[in-house]
Amino acid sequence: QVQLVESGGGLVQAGGSLRLSCAASGSIFRIGAMAWYRQAPGKQRDLVAAITSDGTTNYADSVKGRFTISRDNAKNTVYLQMNSLTPEDTDVYYCNAMARDYSGRVFINWGQGTQVTVSS
């Protein structure tokens, strides 16, 4: 079983920055893609940014140029640097990772979610 632990969320003023971190732990043979999603009340969970094991990144149009996803494979950790935040970025952010255990089973795991609130 793989556990994802998030940190870094909170309250920030418009134009400010936050950095989210998500560390994977457990019986892990290999971690593949890692990603950040966000979900507003009553809406679907949408992809914010994703990064593959080789470093290829993908971003939602709404965050391109403002957010940067990165990973530290040695620490099994993914980061989301969020700059120029706006109130529209207010959401619950979720970490996601694909991991394979030593038995060859593949897991798609979610973090617990962390609230990001951007004030005007």
Side-chain angles (χ1 to χ4, degrees):
Q1 184 175 349
V2 178
Q3 183 179 11
L4 303 178
V5 180
E6 300 169 326
S7 62
L11 175 65
V12 66
Q13 294 180 346
S17 299
L18 286 173
R19 190 178 79 152
L20 305 182
S21 299
C22 175
S25 62
S27 182
I28 302 171
F29 175 73
R30 183 179 183 273
I31 295 180
M34 305 184 79
W36 290 95
Y37 288 73
R38 63 187 181 186
Q39 186 172 23
K43 296 185 177 180
Q44 67 179 3
R45 189 171 296 182
D46 293 326
L47 177 69
V48 177
I51 184 167
T52 66
S53 59
D54 66 358
T56 301
T57 59
N58 184 44
Y59 296 92
D61 289 340
S62 59
V63 306
K64 287 181 179 178
R66 299 188 297 120
F67 292 9
T68 302
I69 188 170
S70 61
R71 64 190 291 165
D72 185 334
N73 290 330
K75 298 180 179 179
N76 289 332
T77 300
V78 63
Y79 305 93
L80 185 67
Q81 178 66 46
M82 304 185 294
N83 299 325
S84 301
L85 286 164
T86 73
E88 287 69 38
D89 296 316
T90 294
D91 261 323
V92 178
Y93 285 70
Y94 296 89
C95 178
N96 175 263
M98 299 182 66
R100 187 183 297 275
D101 67 12
Y102 291 97
S103 297
R105 292 172 292 190
V106 177
F107 297 87
I108 301 177
N109 297 284
W110 293 93
Q112 74 282 1
T114 184
Q115 177 70 46
V116 172
T117 302
V118 185
S119 62
S120 300

